[in-house]
Structures are given as C-alpha cells and as structure tokens.
Amino acid sequence: MINKRVEAAVNEQIKREEHSSRLYLAMASWCEVSGFPGAAAFLYAQADEERMHMLKFVHYLNDRNGHALMAALDMPAPEYKSLHDVFEQVMKHEEYITASINELYGISFEEKDFTTANFLQWFINEQIEEESTMRGILDKLNLAGEGKSGGLFHIDKDLAGMAAARATTTGTTAE
Ligand code: OFO
C-alpha cells in the first residue's frame, strides 16, 4: 500500500498534469484562431503529451494500491497578448511543473518511498528536455521581437515542423 502522504502528493501532480494539458489546449486554440497554425499544432501535441503524463501517474498510483482521483480544474485563460506571451507563459508553467516534480521527489524520499522516487526519475529527465525546448523557442521569439513580422512567420513554420517530427516519433497527430 502506498504511503498516504505520497498518494496525496501524486494526486496533486495528476491534477497539475491535467491542468497543463488543458492550459496548452487553450493556448493551441488561441494560436489556431490567431494565424499561428504551426504553434497551434505544436501546442496541441504538447497538450496530448501532458495528458499522457497524467495517465502515467494515474496508472502508477492505482498499480501501487492507491486511488487516482480526478479533481476539478480551473478554466485556463482564453486570450493571449501575442505568440511571445504564449511561450513566456509556457516557460513559466514548465518551471513550475519542474519545481512540483522536485517537491514530490522530496516527499517520496522523506517517506522512504524509493519506488516512487525511482518512478519520478523519468519525469525529472522529461522536464529537463521540455524546459530546454521551450527556452529555445522563447529565445527565437525574443530575437524576432513583438508584432507579426516575417520572423514570426518562420518561427511558426519551425513549430509546425517540430509538431510533425513529434507526431512521427510518437505515432500521434496534432490535428
Ligand atoms: Fe508534464 O511535462 Fe512538462 O509540464
């Protein structure tokens, strides 16, 4: 039976991963109606990944004799100021999730639940990768500056390419 404190913390993480998925879905939807089809495809794919993360935690908790719960979620913001604003918020959110995974790792250690700590290793590596991807996109957007310039058009095309590459490696499509 999984430790009760670890179970509660994993359930909190399930909520955060599901919220991440909905947040990226809201951002994808805004990009889609704002003339950024590449960013939309990228964020739809990212929303799918976050749902997959949520499911990993759900199965893990239930396999350890815990009970994964589906909490109520707040509505994510529907509007964004710019593509730059979207990815600045993505970056902040990923940093928040990294801190949250680290906190969960700390709780697992305190409770001597080394099985959960070991399970979390995959997420720790995943967060390194995601933060680096998002930082790269944000750097390009910073270089392009605000406004709908040619630079933004190219970044949007790059994002479409990244979404397509991801779909071929995971076997999913963003559409
Ligand atoms: Fe769930 O991977 Fe980042 O947030």
Side-chain angles (χ1 to χ4, degrees):
M1 193 78 180
I2 195 165
N3 170 283
K4 284 290 157 202
R5 185 168 166 236
V6 174
E7 179 177 12
V10 171
N11 264 318
E12 184 57 36
Q13 192 61 35
I14 287 172
K15 181 181 176 186
R16 290 176 187 173
E17 297 290 343
E18 197 179 9
H19 173 71
S20 303
S21 179
R22 281 173 50 90
L23 176 65
Y24 295 152
L25 206 50
M27 289 172 170
S29 179
W30 180 86
C31 289
E32 195 165 42
V33 299
S34 305
F36 300 114
F42 177 84
L43 288 162
Y44 279 127
Q46 191 62 37
D48 283 350
E49 267 204 28
E50 297 301 346
R51 185 165 188 281
M52 188 269 279
H53 295 168
M54 187 257 304
L55 280 172
K56 261 184 192 278
F57 279 112
V58 166
H59 295 313
Y60 174 74
L61 199 51
N62 290 341
D63 284 348
R64 294 274 326 270
N65 256 328
H67 185 187
L69 307 174
M70 296 303 111
L73 298 173
D74 290 338
M75 181 184 173
E79 301 294 338
Y80 298 88
K81 289 199 280 278
S82 61
L83 194 58
H84 187 271
D85 180 34
V86 167
F87 279 93
E88 227 170 30
Q89 292 197 38
V90 169
M91 190 71 238
K92 264 198 209 127
H93 187 73
E94 286 303 327
E95 286 167 354
Y96 160 73
I97 293 294
T98 299
S100 167
I101 298 278
N102 286 342
E103 195 187 309
L104 182 51
Y105 191 81
I107 292 172
S108 310
F109 252 85
E110 277 169 28
E111 299 299 332
K112 297 194 169 27
D113 181 350
F114 302 115
T115 310
T116 297
N118 188 45
F119 167 76
L120 289 172
Q121 201 59 55
W122 184 89
F123 286 91
I124 290 170
N125 293 335
E126 178 74 4
Q127 282 308 118
I128 295 172
E129 212 177 283
E130 288 194 344
E131 277 199 28
S132 142
T133 303
M134 300 314 174
R135 196 169 298 113
I137 297 167
L138 199 52
D139 284 349
K140 283 190 202 165
L141 283 163
N142 281 332
L143 280 175
E146 292 285 344
K148 212 168 182 176
S149 63
L152 284 186
F153 176 78
H154 287 295
I155 291 170
D156 192 60
K157 277 194 92 171
D158 279 2
L159 287 168
M162 286 165 83
R166 197 177 266 193
T168 41
T169 51
T170 60
T172 58
T173 54
E175 317 262 324

